[in-house]
Amino acid sequence: MNPESAGPPAEPEIVSRPLHRHGLYDDARLEEKYRRRLDRLVMRPPSKFSRRLQVANYALMFGVGTYMVLYQDYGRREHCFSGLRRWYFGKVDRLWTLSGEEEKEL
């Protein structure tokens, strides 16, 4: 009896090599080198420009959000930001107006 035919036939190992199939790389080592470089690009920390852009993006989002909550005109009707707007503009009015004592000093 032949020992090779005793069990089920062994299935060949399936290796995905799409770049090799399309003829972009004829050498498997070059394909692996390409894939390692791609993986390294993903794992790199962000650049200084990217960090600065991210900080600018957060500042812009904060500014737009603040404008939308405090200054956007929603009409005369009550809305979810009405209480916050009353509190905020009350503080701003007290900051920019003179009290009775301050008016007497002038």
Side-chain angles (χ1 to χ4, degrees), residues 4 7-11:
E4 293 176 11
E11 294 183 18

Side-chain angles (χ1 to χ4, degrees), residues 20-88:
H20 187 72
R21 277 192 303 238
H22 294 295
L24 295 175
Y25 290 117
D26 292 332
D27 188 2
R29 290 179 308 127
L30 292 176
E31 184 177 349
E32 291 302 319
K33 187 182 209 182
Y34 171 74
R35 291 189 187 280
R36 280 195 308 268
R37 286 181 181 172
L38 282 180
D39 288 341
R40 253 188 278 149
L41 285 176
V42 173
M43 293 185 291
R44 279 192 341 203
S47 66
K48 287 185 179 183
F49 174 75
S50 177
R51 286 288 186 191
R52 290 177 182 156
L53 189 62
Q54 187 178 17
V55 169
N57 187 24
Y58 285 140
L60 184 65
M61 286 189 320
F62 178 75
V64 168
T66 301
Y67 173 80
M68 294 296 290
V69 170
L70 297 176
Y71 295 102
Q72 177 70 33
D73 184 19
Y74 294 108
R76 295 272 183 209
R77 61 189 163 96
E78 282 287 312
H79 49 81
C80 60
F81 303 123
S82 295
L84 181 63
R85 290 175 77 162
R86 279 192 291 272
W87 172 83
Y88 173 75

